[in-house]
Amino acid sequence: MATQKMLKFVTVGKEMPEKRDASSRAQDFHEIYREFADRKAAEQASRCSQCGVPYCQSHCPLHNNIPDWLKLTAEGRLQEAYELSQATNTFPEICGRICPQDRLCEGNCVIEQSGHGTVTIGAVEKYITDTAWEEGWVKPIRPRAERPESVGIIGAGPGGLAAADLLRRQGVQVTVYDRYDRAGGLMTYGIPGFKLEKDVVERRNAQLADGGVNFVLNCNVGEDITFDAIRGQHDAVLIATGVYKARDIEAPGVGAKGIVKALDYLTASNRHGFGDEVPEYDSGELNASGKRVVVIGGGDTAMDCVRTAIRQGALSVKCLYRRDRANMPGSQREVANAEEEGVEFVWLSAPKGFTGGTEVEGVMVQKMRLGPADATGRQTPEVIEGADYVEPADLVIQALGFEPEDLPTLWGVPELKVTRWGTIKADFRTHETSLPGVYAAGDIVRGASLVVWAIRDGREAAEAILGYLAQTGAVAAE
């Protein structure tokens, strides 16, 4: 009886017959959810103060018109809200799920700064775009006219896909090359499904393919096809490979079995979620089930690893970070989520080595303290002598960040200039590299960064490429 009363309250007076077939019940509950979600989205959106200086917008890398689409949402004009949202963001439903809003838009919300709790911008963005897909407001890519120019994009991550979307809508012929068997880059294989559902990414991939983008997958540039061959086949090229080379720990015992790289671990988990055969997952090599897990690192990738390990049924999960909580580079919201799920953070701790011989049994931990600030303004960790101890571990995951691969050497193009960090040197406005007609965007230029920055770079690069194609076309016509 109590359940029936609650159900009547939630459905705003709607009666639920006791005997219904499964599809009818599912439809009823879907309607209940939509009513509730509509109400919550409008409620949150109406909290926007429409302030004269929209810090949320200025702190969004894409400069999304957040106040205006919040206003439209509050007024129940969801389709207009979606259209305004997607005008500046190629993948709003993805950013709504995985952007660190606490460091960007929501963290700079005037209401949040006044102590009344932020408007949940990310949740509203996710909701209006999910609704747009459901209602058919997301239109297929259908260029008004086809153009003869062709662009090759190396890398099917967020930067490459954002550029592909923009170029294809202008009728440009686009081919995307990627080393993996599915498009999406780290959105597909790096970010866990509990943060970014894989059908959300696949839906966008399908939209691009249906719109005429040609995907060449399982293609490793430098091995399966040369960079020069790609340049020869296209009028312009965009390099959007991301950075995949993991930073390794240099310490005694690092080669022991059971010490793995974060991306290998996350990729195995995501492949398992897709239903792929993953021998390393099935054998337990890349599976945390029943194990004492230690994750080393403090960024968002480390948070993905600890939360994945919890879901795999780890016996315990600890995260070692050499600085304190306030100096952690990852999202504070993600840290709080991990703690709620049972992750233990061991602050001011760094690995000194590993015990166990051929198979890891523990991490030799050295305690740290924060000393004077370095050139970046962050306090430098210093070792506390005599405070070492051993943290038992069956699985150690290295999540120390990523570095660029040596693309000029791998691709045989020494004239492609890179920075002293190994990232590609590109104009910060046009994204053009040292090679004519070759552009670069995303992490391969910035270093490891956020999906939203890659989307911005990809869109900017696409606009620059369109200008380049127009210019070269005009020259050719003369």
Side-chain angles (χ1 to χ4, degrees):
M1 184 62 69
T3 303
Q4 287 182 335
K5 286 181 180 179
M6 181 175 288
L7 189 56
K8 289 179 182 178
F9 171 77
V10 171
T11 57
V12 197
K14 289 183 180 179
E15 296 287 343
M16 290 282 286
E18 292 184 7
K19 293 184 178 180
R20 304 287 302 282
D21 61 69
S23 62
S24 297
R25 290 198 302 274
Q27 180 63 29
D28 286 333
F29 281 106
H30 178 71
E31 291 177 4
I32 293 168
Y33 166 76
R34 281 299 301 273
E35 285 182 15
F36 176 76
D38 281 342
R39 189 163 63 249
K40 292 298 292 183
E43 177 185 295
Q44 274 296 316
S46 66
R47 296 181 62 234
C48 177
S49 65
Q50 297 291 311
C51 53
V53 184
Y55 293 107
C56 59
Q57 184 173 355
S58 63
H59 283 81
C60 169
L62 291 163
H63 300 304
N64 289 327
N65 195 342
I66 296 168
D68 283 353
W69 56 251
L70 284 175
K71 184 174 185 291
L72 290 168
T73 301
E75 294 171 355
R77 298 157 65 184
L78 288 184
Q79 184 170 358
E80 294 172 76
Y82 161 71
E83 289 170 353
L84 189 59
S85 171
Q86 65 86 41
T88 52
N89 188 354
T90 314
F91 311 124
E93 74 278 24
I94 291 174
C95 288
R97 284 169 163 83
I98 63 173
C99 265
Q101 287 95 4
D102 57 326
R103 304 202 313 252
L104 301 172
C105 55
E106 293 181 15
N108 291 279
C109 172
V110 169
I111 295 175
E112 165 72 6
Q113 293 174 352
S114 63
H116 297 289
T118 185
V119 176
T120 56
I121 297 167
V124 176
E125 182 179 39
K126 167 184 175 295
Y127 176 69
I128 61 176
T129 317
D130 285 350
T131 302
W133 278 101
E134 188 173 323
E135 296 294 334
W137 303 335
V138 182
K139 302 302 181 184
I141 300 171
R142 296 291 182 265
R144 290 184 180 180
E146 294 292 344
R147 297 173 54 162
E149 302 99 330
S150 172
V151 174
I153 298 175
I154 305 173
L161 296 183
D165 178 273
L166 211 64
L167 290 167
R168 189 68 198 109
R169 290 179 189 277
Q170 296 301 313
V172 175
Q173 310 308 309
V174 178
T175 299
V176 179
Y177 304 85
D178 196 83
R179 71 184 76 189
Y180 288 109
D181 58 342
R182 294 180 177 93
L186 291 181
M187 296 188 299
T188 295
Y189 285 127
I191 299 172
F194 60 82
K195 284 177 60 176
L196 177 57
E197 305 94 312
K198 299 311 166 187
D199 60 329
V200 171
V201 181
E202 290 186 307
R203 183 172 59 189
R204 282 293 184 183
N205 293 341
Q207 183 197 38
L208 289 166
D210 292 343
V213 174
N214 179 38
F215 286 94
V216 181
L217 303 176
N218 286 315
C219 179
N220 210 328
V221 178
E223 295 179 8
D224 302 308
I225 187 172
T226 66
F227 180 73
D228 285 341
I230 292 176
R231 287 189 76 188
Q233 293 173 20
H234 302 285
D235 298 292
V237 174
L238 174 64
I239 302 171
T241 56
V243 290
Y244 281 87
K245 182 182 176 183
R247 291 179 184 146
D248 287 324
I249 297 171
E250 295 182 4
V254 73
K257 183 179 179 182
I259 302 174
V260 303
K261 297 176 181 178
L263 188 55
D264 293 342
Y265 173 70
L266 293 171
T267 300
S269 178
N270 281 313
R271 283 195 178 280
H272 177 75
F274 277 116
D276 295 351
E277 289 187 15
V278 189
E280 298 88 349
Y281 183 93
D282 295 336
S283 69
E285 180 182 344
L286 296 174
N287 185 345
S289 178
K291 295 180 179 178
R292 298 167 298 179
V293 178
V294 172
V295 176
I296 301 170
D300 290 332
T301 299
M303 298 305 97
D304 290 343
C305 290
V306 296
R307 297 184 69 196
T308 296
I310 287 288
R311 283 160 176 76
Q312 290 178 348
L315 187 65
S316 64
V317 181
K318 295 185 179 182
C319 182
L320 303 184
Y321 182 57
R322 61 181 182 155
R323 289 186 169 93
D324 60 8
R325 186 183 191 125
N327 285 278
M328 199 169 188
S331 166
Q332 291 295 324
R333 185 177 294 174
E334 282 291 286
V335 174
N337 289 337
E339 286 179 326
E340 289 176 2
E341 293 168 0
V343 175
E344 180 183 342
F345 286 87
V346 187
W347 308 111
L348 294 165
S349 301
K352 184 179 181 179
F354 303 92
T355 65
T358 58
E359 190 163 340
V360 69
E361 294 179 358
V363 182
M364 293 184 286
V365 179
Q366 52 188 9
K367 298 301 293 180
M368 317 289 286
R369 60 170 169 258
L370 294 180
D374 60 16
T376 67
R378 297 179 76 194
Q379 288 179 277
T380 305
E382 298 176 344
V383 175
I384 300 175
E385 298 296 339
D388 300 353
Y389 72 98
V390 175
E391 185 70 62
D394 307 304
L395 177 64
V396 177
I397 303 172
Q398 302 179 72
L400 302 174
F402 303 96
E403 296 176 345
E405 297 160 290
D406 183 3
L407 296 186
T409 299
L410 290 173
W411 293 355
V413 280
E415 62 272 27
L416 179 63
K417 292 184 179 179
V418 297
T419 68
R420 62 190 178 94
W421 299 282
T423 52
I424 293 178
K425 188 177 289 187
D427 186 283
F428 72 94
R429 291 165 299 186
T430 66
H431 299 271
E432 189 168 13
T433 70
S434 57
L435 302 177
V438 178
Y439 297 75
D443 288 2
I444 193 58
V445 176
R446 291 182 176 273
S449 187
L450 302 173
V451 165
V452 65
W453 279 110
I455 294 172
R456 171 175 166 167
D457 289 353
R459 291 172 65 93
E460 287 181 349
E463 293 286 0
I465 290 170
L466 288 170
Y468 170 79
L469 294 176
Q471 182 182 14
T472 53
V475 172
E478 291 177 1

